[in-house]
């Protein structure tokens, strides 16, 4: 697989099993002087579970709101099932949107909330009262809130509110489900439970789903594919495995997990970092580079072995893992080892060598 | 214009670069109603107020305002309003403090009654205060015994202005006192401060900005007050004649420009003092944050 | 309740434990309230019934009093709904949209709070009085605004229009636009969204604003006094009726009429306090009037 490839190259429709359903091309949006989205293009396949991942201010929520029709982009195109999505007003798009703080109607019961989308349909298309009641009952069962239809939102826990919001969005039989930080307001325990449940629900409902998150673990764990955004631009789009194994740039590498970084040089297919020389990765850029590796993907060797010269400054055991703090090239790194990988007799003051197992190489940046 | 229309035609929003696009409908309608209403109810009348005095010419306006009777009325209105607002400060602190810090029977009723000067129509308050402080009234007779004239004197006006200004100070202070962090007081206590030191050095400074805003609201209300003052004032030209009454008198003699001049002067002076008070408040608030 | 029981039950909520001082402060507050605020209220009812219930009822049943009551109700029934519609419209565009010139709009809305009621009446005379800008035109076309009901309505509107808007704007800003956005994504139209989502969310604050607006509209004296002309039975609202009787030395009549207005004030106070206790969360945080 090519490194530093164009972010969208992985999304060649020919490779996909199902046809494209969502096509976003060149979407830009500014708020006053602040450019929230800057020419973002990406695609999602039918029934795909797509994560928009990025730090705050990356434009991910804006992009989601563009899909919902809540923001109108300054430029660009959004097509859904071949249709020009931007020309459809929000109320006719039939997107199921779950807001970050749920936006439940506080003066309506759970059942009334869920039924709202059906009850505002034009009279001709409106289901009968009993049909609506049946549908609400089905949805309450689906989100495991049977018997709570008469409660008001204020009487529910955070996780329950989230599921009501989801049921309300599903009630209109949406063409696409949009979730804005669906677990953002929940505590860690509830988050984990709901995550798997949401994935199951998506698989059963079979509807293209786009969700926004700033939590890389959540995105990698849950999504079919992950789109990583920063400063309003798409940095990479790919399956969780692709983006984790082959981050397109230093930002993505850093954002997806703990990263260690050292300067190096690539010449004639050889990578040199300080006193360690090794074969350069395929397609590595020539000249001065930044070398990245994960702190748990290293091998420790005695001083006469291969690797970066390091001095252990602190050691702490954390369950089966051992955290080894090392000084390499004047910089402190927190490395991890477990089981047989733990160097024997490791203690502060010990000199040894550290060999990154899968270093990634990017052209050097000037900044610190 | 509906949101759908905006969405359907990308060029439409471009025509209104001063409004950020929103999906919610009804911006044009609601802004239209608001502007039309404000235009007719506020802007047009204020334009008249700002322009009409100058029919007299600059010299004429000066003469209209510099007349001893007008000057005396303005001095009386603004002076007594300032005094009344200042007396409202300790009274307001006292009431706000007891209402937020102590639990006692009848507290909620007392709290609700603080708004009575708002709720009582001004003419009602005016004749009631006059009845109380007139020489034959309940308190007026008492004061007369020791030789103090209350109704039909500046003191009577002062009492009426204290009455109508009190709620402003209490209501400005209450939320701040309620939210004042108990930990700050407790910290002061652990550092050895006694209750007086806590009150003067910890609590009062925290109240500063809202106290000033309460005082300035009371002042602004008092300057323009008419109904509750006009009955108790006595309305002797040059002595107990308040500025709003002078406007009424000038209008009755069809001196529109003169009335407008006094009205404009009142608005200008009120506005000027509010700006000054706001400046002071900002300064205090900034110091409080630092 | 006697002063002694008040005092003995007074106890500080805070860490400041000084029961003696607490009792003193509570007593002082009660004294201030009684002497300054409650005494006038008491005097109104006392003097109204000074010559017995019969005289009181006669004063209220007087034809001039009846027509003053009717006129007051008429003026309020025009001014209050108009101000309510304006308040909702202003709050909608100010709270839910971002546009330039918003703070200027807010300043304009706040302005009447810092204007003398007399000036609020004066400005209408400057426009529509005999020597007003439109005075000649109005006389030529036989339209009466000043010294007529229209003038009373205009003056009342100017004095009372901020009440609803000031109550709704902070609340609606606080509530944001998420619920409305959700309704739109679920297929609701603009009017459905407003009537089924927005209005239910602001109903108590709206009621609160209308209540205050109405109390002020019915009790307004200074502004209407300037535009009324005090034509008995025609342009005297209830507060002006009080003034007319008082200046005629008909004190029982004046205080009887005043007692009606005081009752209006008391009822408003009770309703307002009830709303504050039950729906505190849905009312604007700043209770500025």
């Amino acid at each position: 697989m090519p490194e530093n490839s164009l972010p969208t190259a992985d999304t060649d429709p020919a490779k996909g099993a199902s046809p494209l359903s969502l096509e976003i091309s060149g979407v830009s949006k500014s708020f006053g002087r602040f450019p929230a989205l800057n020419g973002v293009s990406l695609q999602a396949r039918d029934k795909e579970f797509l994560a928009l991942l990025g730090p705050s201010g990356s434009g991910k929520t804006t992009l989601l709101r563009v899909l919902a029709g809540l923001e109108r982009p300054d430029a660009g195109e959004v097509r859904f099932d071949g249709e020009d999505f931007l020309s459809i007003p929000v109320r006719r798009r039939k997107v199921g949107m779950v807001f970050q703080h749920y936006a439940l109607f506080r003066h309506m019961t759970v059942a009334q909330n869920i039924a709202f989308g059906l009850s505002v349909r034009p009279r001709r298309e409106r289901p009968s009262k009993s049909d609506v009641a049946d549908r609400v009952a089905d949805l309450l069962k689906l989100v495991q809130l049977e018997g709570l239809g008469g409660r008001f939102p204020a009487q529910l826990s955070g996780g329950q509110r989230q599921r009501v919001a989801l049921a309300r969005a599903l009630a209109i039989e949406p063409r696409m489900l949009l979730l804005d930080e669906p677990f953002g307001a929940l505590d860690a325990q509830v988050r984990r439970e709901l995550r798997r449940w949401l994935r199951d629900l998506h698989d059963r409902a079979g509807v293209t789903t786009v969700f926004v998150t700033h939590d890389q673990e959540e995105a990698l764990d849950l999504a079919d594919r992950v789109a990583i955004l920063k400063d309003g631009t798409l940095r990479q789009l790919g399956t969780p495995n692709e983006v984790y194994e082959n981050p397109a740039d230093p930002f993505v590498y850093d954002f997806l997990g703990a990263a260690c970084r050292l300067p190096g040089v690539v010449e004639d297919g050889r990578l040199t970092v300080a006193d360690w020389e090794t074969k350069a990765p395929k397609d590595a850029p020539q000249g001065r580079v930044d070398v990245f590796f994960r702190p748990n993907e290293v091998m420790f060797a005695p001083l006469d072995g291969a690797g970066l010269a390091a001095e252990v400054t602190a050691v702490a055991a954390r369950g089966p893992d051992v955290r080894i703090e090392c000084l390499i090239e004047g910089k402190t790194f927190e490395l991890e080892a477990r089981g047989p990988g733990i160097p024997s007799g490791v203690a502060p003051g010990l000199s040894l060598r550290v060999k990154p197992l899968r270093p990634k190489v990017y052209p050097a940046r000037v900044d610190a | 214009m509906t949101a759908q229309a905006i969405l359907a035609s990308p060029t439409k929003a471009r025509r209104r670069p001063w409004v950020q696009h929103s999906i919610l409908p009804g911006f044009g309608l609601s802004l239209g109603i608001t502007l039309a209403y404000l235009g007719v109810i506020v802007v047009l009348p204020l334009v008249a107020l700002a322009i009409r005095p100058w029919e007299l010419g600059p010299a004429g306006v000066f003469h209209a305002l510099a007349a001893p009777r007008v000057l005396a009325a303005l001095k009386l209105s603004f002076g007594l309003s300032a005094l009344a607002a200042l007396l409202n400060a300790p009274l307001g602190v006292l009431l706000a403090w007891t209402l937020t810090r102590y639990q006692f029977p009848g507290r909620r009723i007392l709290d609700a009654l603080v708004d009575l000067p708002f709720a009582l129509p001004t003419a009602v308050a005016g004749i009631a205060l006059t009845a109380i402080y007139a020489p034959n009234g309940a308190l007026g007779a008492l004061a007369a015994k020791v030789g103090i004239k209350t109704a039909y004197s500046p003191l009577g006006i002062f009492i009426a202005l204290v009455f109508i200004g009190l709620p402003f100070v209490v209501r400005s202070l209450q939320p701040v006192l309620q939210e004042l962090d108990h930990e700050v007081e407790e910290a002061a206590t652990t550092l050895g401060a006694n209750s007086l030191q806590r009150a003067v050095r910890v609590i009062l400074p925290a109240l500063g900005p809202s106290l000033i805003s309460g005082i300035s609201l009371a002042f602004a209300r008092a300057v323009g007050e008419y109904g509750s003052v006009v009955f108790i004032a006595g309305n002797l030209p040059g002595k107990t004649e308040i500025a709003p009454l002078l406007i009424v008198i000038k209008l009755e003699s069809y001196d529109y420009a003169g009335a407008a001049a006094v009205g404009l002067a009142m608005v200008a002076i009120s506005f000027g003092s509010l700006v000054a008070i706001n400046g002071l408040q900002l300064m205090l608030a900034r110091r409080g944050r630092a | 309740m006697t002063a002694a029981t008040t005092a003995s039950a007074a106890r500080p909520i805070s860490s400041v434990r000084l029961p003696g001082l607490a009792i003193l402060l509570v007593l002082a507050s009660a004294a201030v309230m009684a002497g300054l605020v409650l005494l006038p209220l008491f005097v109104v009812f006392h003097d109204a019934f000074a010559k017995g219930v019969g005289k009181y009822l006669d004063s209220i049943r007087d034809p001039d009093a009846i027509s003053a009551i009717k006129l007051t109700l008429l003026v309020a029934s025009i001014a209050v709904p108009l101000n309510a519609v304006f308040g909702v419209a202003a709050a909608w565009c100010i709270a839910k949209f971002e546009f330039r010139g918003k703070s200027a709009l807010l300043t304009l809305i706040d302005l009447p709070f810092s204007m003398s009621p007399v000036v609020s009446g004066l400005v209408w005379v400057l426009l529509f009085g005999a020597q007003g800008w439109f005075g000649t035109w109005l006389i030529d076309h036989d339209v009466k605004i000043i010294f007529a009901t229209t003038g009373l309505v205009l003056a009342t509107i100017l004095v009372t229009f901020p009440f609803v808007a000031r109550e709704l704007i902070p609340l609606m800003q606080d509530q944001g636009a998420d619920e409305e956005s959700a309704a739109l994504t679920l297929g609701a139209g603009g009017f459905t969204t407003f009537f089924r989502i927005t209005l239910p969310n602001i109903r108590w604050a709206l009621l609160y604003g209308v209540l205050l607006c109405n109390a002020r509209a019915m009790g307004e004296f200074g502004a209407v006094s300037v535009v009324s002309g005090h034509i008995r039975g025609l342009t005297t609202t209830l507060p002006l009726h009080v003034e007319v009787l008082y200046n005629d030395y008909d004190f029982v009549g004046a205080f009887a009429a005043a007692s009606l207005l005081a009752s209006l004030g008391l009822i408003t106070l009770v309703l307002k306090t009830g709303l504050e206790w039950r729906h505190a969360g849905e009312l604007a945080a700043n209770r500025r009037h």
Side-chain angles (χ1 to χ4, degrees), chain A residues 323-346:
Chain A
R323 208 190 64 213
I324 303 169
E325 198 181 276
C326 291
L327 205 61
I328 304 173
E329 285 292 290
K331 276 168 76 180
T332 303
F333 293 89
E334 274 189 13
L335 305 175
E336 278 169 35
R338 74 182 334 188
I342 302 170
S344 57
V346 65

Side-chain angles (χ1 to χ4, degrees), chain A residues 248-265:
Chain A
D249 59 30
F251 166 77
V252 176
Y253 194 103
D254 200 34
F255 194 71
L256 291 182
C260 304
R261 174 181 152 193
L262 280 168
V265 175

Side-chain angles (χ1 to χ4, degrees), chain C residues 52 63 65 73 81 95 101 106 109 124 127 159 176 206 227 241 244 258-259 285:
Chain C
L73 293 175
L106 278 170
I109 291 175
W124 298 110
L127 287 172
V159 173
L206 181 60
V227 297
H241 186 62
V244 169
S259 75

Side-chain angles (χ1 to χ4, degrees), chain C residues 217-242:
Chain C
M218 289 191 174
E220 178 50 32
F221 176 71
V224 293
S225 161
V226 174
V227 297
S228 140
H230 298 81
I231 308 166
R232 274 201 200 196
L234 272 182
T235 61
T236 48
T237 60
L238 201 49
L240 297 175
H241 186 62
V242 170

Side-chain angles (χ1 to χ4, degrees), chain A residues 65 68 70 90-92 94-95 97 99 101-108 113 116-120 168-169 172, chain C residues 174-190 192-193 195-198 200-201 203 282:
Chain A
R65 290 174 65 86
L70 296 171
V90 52
R91 51 180 297 215
R92 290 192 228 289
K94 285 189 81 171
V95 291
M97 172 93 176
F99 290 76
H101 302 289
Y102 318 135
L104 295 180
F105 306 132
R106 68 196 93 179
H107 61 285
M108 294 184 192
N113 262 284
F116 183 84
L118 302 174
S119 71
V120 296
R168 184 178 70 176
I172 60 169
Chain C
D174 225 44
Q175 290 181 340
D178 265 10
E179 286 186 42
E180 282 83 2
S181 302
L184 290 171
T185 64
L186 292 169
T192 311
T193 304
F195 284 107
R196 289 190 53 182
I197 306 299
T198 309
N201 274 337
R203 61 193 156 177
E282 291 164 55

Side-chain angles (χ1 to χ4, degrees), chain B residues 150-171:
Chain B
T150 38
Y152 318 125
S153 78
L155 182 59
I157 302 175
F158 175 75
I159 291 170
L161 295 182
V162 171
F163 170 82
I164 53 137
L166 187 62
F168 289 98
V169 181
V170 179
R171 294 299 184 226

